[in-house]
Amino acid sequence: MMRTRPLKVALLGCGVVGSEVARIMTTHADDLAARIGAPVELAGVAVRRPSKVREGIPQDLVTTDATALVKRGDIDVVVEVIGGIEPARSLITTAFEHGASVVSANKALLAQDGAALHAAAGQHGKDLYYEAAVAGAIPLIRPLRESLAGDKVNRVLGIVNGTTNFILDKMDSTGAGYQEALDEATALGYAEADPTADVEGFDAAAKAAILAGIAFHTRVRLDDVYREGMTEVTAADFASAKNMGCTIKLLAICERAEDGRSVTARVHPAMIPLTHPLASVRGAYNAVFVESDASGQLMFYGPGAGGAPTASAVLGDLVAVCRNRLSGTTGPGESAYAALPVSGMGEVVTRYHISLDVADKPGVLAQVATVFAEHGVSIDTVRQQGKDGEASLVVVTHRASDAALGGTVEALRKLDTVRGVASIMRVEGE
């Protein structure tokens, strides 16, 4: 039997995502009520500009006093889609204190203060759900923390930022330079006027912290994630990648060490083989590849951003939280029992593609090979092209630690025959 008294929802933020959440709550009200077992009612919408006309939202629901809204005491669920650290953090903790569960899409806040927010939710016996914080509409958080709760996840490898994937895909498919591809992304609305958070990897790093924490049952903060942007990727890098049967993606990589005693989380551009499923992810789409003991390899794919896709994830969480509310239970909270140490980038082991500008004369290759050998880095392939006394030397290594590779490059720079290091890129996905 359906409960007639509605569950009341407070919406914090009514931008691209928030307006879609409100629209879906209104247009799909009957379906949502049937799925939950009670109607849901939009009880208030906190905004910064109350005078703006918001289609489908009665003006009497609009307020600029978000704190008063979450303190009302009759609110069952607070949906937070304002982003940023403050006032979002204070509003969420206040919501818990006044009896509401929370659905959030705030990746930056969760990556920085997820442990404290989970603790506050647990203290007050409330839910904290955040499927929309990573990869938009793609169901990923719930499968990791619920569907794979009985499995051991070893690696999460993914494209989690649509803007950067669009830019790199455009560079790959058309031969465009970075700035040209960024300009097109901006014109099409895929990139913000200030794209720094995307192209420098900050957005992906926050998502990597969240994914690593859930996958490895370990607290991973944003500061634990190695981050490298993709603004230095060139058309020449793509040409080299194609020669290797690869393409280039900005990847979030979270993995358990081979001995199982530590984890790493990192974001950086990398070459991946064209045969890898992530290589075929085009445009502004996202995809995440999960490797675990029992399930093997799983791939989650779909639109990773945008109003409607992100709102879909928010509404999925809203339904789950409302169901819990009706049954008097809460869903899974933080699982950090493993408490594994998070290793630095120096301990990461992978393959490398190094492009050197060298003198075109006998003995150069032997000198370079000697440096690699002295630092314990094994060479897989070498390609050299020369003209008029100058040459390009491309070295692809076998697996080596980042620390060993760093020492190798430092020594290479000291050789008289090495004019410069044109590029260094990791090779992943094999």
Side-chain angles (χ1 to χ4, degrees):
M1 179 180 295
M2 181 178 293
R3 192 182 83 166
T4 56
R5 183 172 67 83
L7 292 159
K8 294 190 176 183
V9 178
L11 179 60
L12 307 183
C14 198
V16 174
V17 175
S19 60
E20 280 296 309
V21 170
R23 182 188 67 79
I24 295 172
M25 284 185 64
T26 302
T27 58
H28 295 180
D30 291 342
D31 286 336
L32 290 172
R35 294 166 191 170
I36 292 169
V40 287
E41 173 188 313
L42 189 60
V45 182
V47 300
R48 286 183 297 178
R49 296 187 297 275
S51 60
K52 180 180 178 180
V53 176
R54 294 171 173 85
E55 186 177 350
I57 299 177
Q59 191 62 30
D60 62 350
L61 294 183
V62 176
T63 178
T64 58
D65 194 343
T67 302
L69 178 59
V70 300
K71 282 184 173 180
R72 274 177 36 173
D74 64 337
I75 300 297
D76 294 287
V77 184
V78 169
V79 175
E80 182 271 309
V81 288
I82 56 178
I85 306 302
E86 287 292 354
R89 175 170 49 199
S90 297
L91 291 169
I92 289 173
T93 55
T94 301
F96 291 142
E97 292 166 0
H98 287 78
S101 290
V102 173
V103 173
S104 176
N106 195 331
K107 54 187 172 288
L109 177 58
L110 289 159
Q112 178 172 307
D113 289 319
L117 294 178
H118 275 294
Q123 178 185 350
H124 296 284
K126 298 297 178 285
D127 276 321
L128 173 62
Y129 276 49
Y130 44 91
E131 184 68 63
V134 180
I138 304 173
L140 184 58
I141 300 297
R142 196 173 291 117
L144 278 174
R145 73 176 185 175
E146 297 181 36
S147 304
L148 295 176
D151 205 344
K152 179 184 177 184
V153 176
N154 296 309
R155 197 173 198 226
V156 180
L157 173 76
I159 298 164
V160 295
N161 183 278
T163 300
T164 55
N165 198 60
F166 178 89
I167 292 170
L168 292 173
D169 182 42
K170 186 61 61 174
M171 293 175 70
D172 185 28
S173 60
T174 68
Y178 166 76
Q179 189 60 50
E180 182 183 351
L182 172 60
D183 290 344
E184 182 171 351
T186 303
L188 292 172
Y190 291 127
E192 302 287 346
D194 180 1
T196 302
D198 294 322
V199 300
E200 294 294 351
F202 291 101
D203 175 85
K207 295 170 181 176
I210 295 169
L211 292 174
I214 296 171
F216 306 133
H217 305 278
T218 292
R219 287 179 178 170
V220 180
R221 289 171 51 87
L222 181 58
D223 291 345
D224 296 321
V225 181
Y226 172 84
R227 177 194 55 79
E228 184 181 319
M230 40 80 67
T231 57
E232 301 300 318
V233 177
T234 66
D237 291 325
F238 274 101
S240 293
K242 288 181 179 180
N243 285 332
M244 292 176 57
C246 293
T247 188
I248 299 171
K249 300 291 186 181
L250 184 75
L251 298 179
I253 305 170
C254 314
E255 55 191 355
R256 192 187 299 268
E258 290 185 6
D259 62 8
R261 296 178 181 176
S262 65
V263 299
T264 57
R266 50 198 167 102
V267 169
H268 54 72
M271 296 181 180
I272 58 171
L274 294 174
T275 54
H276 193 281
L278 291 178
S280 61
V281 178
R282 311 301 297 269
Y285 274 71
N286 285 190
V288 177
F289 204 69
V290 178
E291 301 174 10
S292 64
D293 278 359
S295 300
Q297 297 178 331
L298 305 170
M299 182 164 160
F300 301 84
Y301 169 85
T310 306
S312 171
V314 170
L315 267 295
D317 278 351
L318 179 64
V319 169
V321 170
C322 286
R323 286 171 175 169
N324 292 344
R325 194 86 173 178
L326 289 178
S327 62
T329 62
T330 56
E334 183 189 32
S335 176
Y337 73 91
L340 295 170
V342 183
S343 297
M345 190 63 189
E347 297 180 43
V348 169
V349 176
T350 189
R351 298 178 67 205
Y352 289 87
H353 175 284
I354 305 102
S355 180
L356 304 172
D357 295 326
V358 299
D360 186 18
K361 62 182 183 179
V364 173
L365 179 56
Q367 285 184 321
V368 169
T370 297
V371 170
F372 276 87
E374 289 173 347
H375 288 80
V377 179
S378 176
I379 293 175
D380 182 17
T381 62
V382 177
R383 186 175 72 255
Q384 183 173 0
Q385 293 178 323
K387 184 179 181 182
D388 299 330
E390 298 295 329
S392 173
L393 186 65
V394 175
V395 178
V396 180
T397 74
H398 288 290
R399 288 170 61 83
S401 71
D402 191 79
L405 195 282
T408 304
V409 172
E410 185 177 347
L412 287 171
R413 295 183 193 276
K414 296 178 181 178
L415 293 177
D416 292 339
T417 52
V418 174
R419 311 298 193 212
V421 180
S423 69
I424 303 171
M425 192 167 295
R426 296 167 185 89
V427 183
E428 301 283 349
E430 295 184 301

